[in-house]
Amino acid sequence: MKTKMKTKKSYYIPLIIVLLLIILYPTSAYAQPGDFTIPSIGIEVGEAHTPRDLVNTFEILFVFTILTLAPSILIMMTSFTRIIIVLSFMRNALGTQQTPPNQVLIGLAIFLTIFVMAPIGEDINTNAIQPYINETIDQEQALEYAMKPLREFMLKQTRNKDLSLFVNLSNMDAFETLDEIPNRVIIPAFMISELKTAFQIGFLLFIPFIIIDMVVASTLMSMGMMMLPPVIISLPFKILLFIMVDGWNLIVKTIITNFQ
């Protein structure tokens, strides 16, 4: 067996070396001078000759800033927080530890967030992004029109108690209309409201699985099998219950309908 393995290794080594030479060896050595060109890519910093050049520079900086803050915007101003917390509670209630893995839960939460926020995204694109691209509105108006549907979404999901808390903590006077409330008050109020709602849903998810754990534990104790962990016995029953009630369908339906 060792001789065969050495023979296979000695066969693969020259093949790997040949492939590396083909990839790394400059192809321009075999090409004619005018047949192959290498594009020049670079970022230049120069003087702005026109006001439009300066505007383009600020637009690029603004886009980079948005891309940097995109994870925070996704977490703070959308339905992502509630969805990922509920899915994490569901996994903990089942007791499956790392199944589904974190990558699957985060991916599912992202796509559910896209599904929930799609109407708002279409509104922003129609009333803010496209008019700004067509130069019918300026940057300030585009930000105002983009924040309007987001503010309506957050205010709809925010409890009055949480909103009043941050209004009082900011030492501001009472607002006559919701449009007068600044974003720095709405966003944290929306966040703690989302956390409370997610924990409430998580509590309800735990109840049926805790009942199964209690029944299994009491059954094992009555049979004198106290050395056998109840979690090992109850896990198949919890998975079976979850499958029978079509758990993922119910959870996703509950999450999405709560936002509508």
Side-chain angles (χ1 to χ4, degrees):
M1 291 294 293
K2 292 183 178 180
T3 306
K4 291 182 179 180
M5 292 179 64
K6 290 181 179 178
T7 304
K8 290 182 178 180
K9 289 182 179 179
S10 62
Y11 173 77
Y12 284 118
I13 290 174
L15 181 60
I16 294 173
I17 293 174
V18 172
L19 290 175
L20 289 175
L21 289 175
I22 293 173
I23 295 172
L24 298 177
Y25 196 79
T27 56
S28 59
Y30 299 98
Q32 297 297 325
D35 295 340
F36 183 78
T37 58
I38 301 176
S40 177
I41 301 174
I43 299 177
E44 298 181 358
V45 179
E47 182 180 357
H49 299 286
T50 62
R52 184 60 189 172
D53 294 337
L54 184 61
V55 171
N56 291 335
T57 302
F58 282 115
E59 288 178 353
I60 294 173
L61 293 176
F62 176 74
V63 170
F64 280 127
T65 303
I66 293 297
L67 291 176
T68 304
L69 298 177
S72 299
I73 295 174
L74 175 66
I75 294 174
M76 293 187 301
M77 302 172 63
T78 65
S79 58
F80 179 82
T81 301
R82 184 192 303 185
I83 294 172
I84 191 63
I85 291 177
V86 171
L87 294 178
S88 299
F89 270 122
M90 187 69 257
R91 184 176 64 181
N92 292 333
L94 278 172
T96 53
Q97 298 180 356
Q98 295 299 321
T99 304
N102 292 331
Q103 293 86 345
V104 175
L105 292 184
I106 293 173
L108 179 59
I110 290 175
F111 280 99
L112 290 178
T113 302
I114 294 173
F115 182 84
V116 172
M117 304 298 294
I120 299 173
E122 293 175 359
D123 191 352
I124 294 174
N125 180 60
T126 303
N127 299 322
I129 297 177
Q130 294 301 324
Y132 179 70
I133 293 176
N134 297 328
E135 299 183 354
T136 58
I137 59 175
D138 56 17
Q139 183 176 342
E140 184 177 355
Q141 291 176 323
L143 289 175
E144 181 181 354
Y145 295 157
M147 282 301 301
K148 184 177 180 181
L150 283 175
R151 284 171 56 92
E152 293 176 355
F153 170 79
M154 289 188 291
L155 287 171
K156 184 179 179 181
Q157 305 298 328
T158 303
R159 294 177 174 82
N160 293 330
K161 180 180 179 181
D162 298 328
L163 193 61
S164 300
L165 170 65
F166 285 95
V167 170
N168 295 331
L169 291 176
S170 60
N171 296 323
M172 294 181 176
D173 297 333
F175 298 100
E176 296 182 358
T177 61
L178 295 176
D179 295 335
E180 299 177 0
I181 303 177
N183 295 329
R184 63 186 179 90
V185 173
I186 296 177
I187 294 175
F190 168 74
M191 283 293 297
I192 64 172
S193 293
E194 288 292 280
L195 290 174
K196 182 177 181 179
T197 304
F199 274 71
Q200 289 177 343
I201 299 175
F203 170 76
L204 297 176
L205 289 174
F206 263 94
I207 293 177
F209 299 109
I210 290 177
I211 295 175
I212 294 177
D213 287 332
M214 293 174 62
V215 171
V216 171
S218 60
T219 303
L220 292 177
M221 289 183 65
S222 62
M223 296 174 62
M225 303 174 64
M226 292 180 293
M227 299 300 294
L228 185 64
V231 178
I232 298 178
I233 306 300
S234 63
L235 179 58
F237 292 101
K238 291 191 287 186
I239 296 176
L240 178 62
L241 174 65
F242 191 71
I243 294 172
M244 291 178 62
V245 299
D246 200 1
W248 291 113
N249 186 291
L250 291 176
I251 291 173
V252 171
K253 181 179 178 180
T254 302
I255 291 174
I256 293 178
T257 53
N258 282 338
F259 286 105
Q260 295 177 351

